[in-house]
Amino acid sequence: MSKIASRASAVLDEVALASLLTGDLWAANVLVSEANDELPEITGIVDLDRVEWGDPLADWTIWMARKKPGTERDSFWSGYGVLDEEDPSVRFRLALYAARHDATVRLERARLGDEEGVVESTEQLARVLKAVRQMEVS
């Protein structure tokens, strides 16, 4: 992947401002106040072992929200904003980060001894990397 990233350094350099990425934001890691049932208040985020600074498109939350369009995950986009996936730079970065996430899933499955999952993840990673290699970047 480093060769792909090097080839696309100009596209990656378009990200001028790093954002704080949680790396694992989902309902179980969000603390919510019970004081107001109608409008709950987020009071904290836990499980921050994957926090990093980077391109917002690289965050695990973006990857997961995009995986199941037409579901309750669509509500995420009403607060976050819609991605301009017609932009070749956005499409490339999303694909590159998807490869990174697929590699992470593969490692996690290997750690858990999920042999079928490792094979599935390896095949998925190969498909994503093939698509990334075929993308035109400038």
Side-chain angles (χ1 to χ4, degrees), residues 30-45:
V30 178
L31 304 177
V32 180
S33 169
E34 294 181 16
N36 185 346
D37 289 337
E38 284 187 36
L39 189 60
E41 181 180 342
I42 295 174
T43 58
I45 307 291

Side-chain angles (χ1 to χ4, degrees), residues 1-15:
M1 252 180 26
S2 64
K3 286 182 183 179
I4 295 169
S6 293
R7 178 175 60 92
S9 62
V11 172
L12 297 173
D13 286 344
E14 290 176 14
V15 182

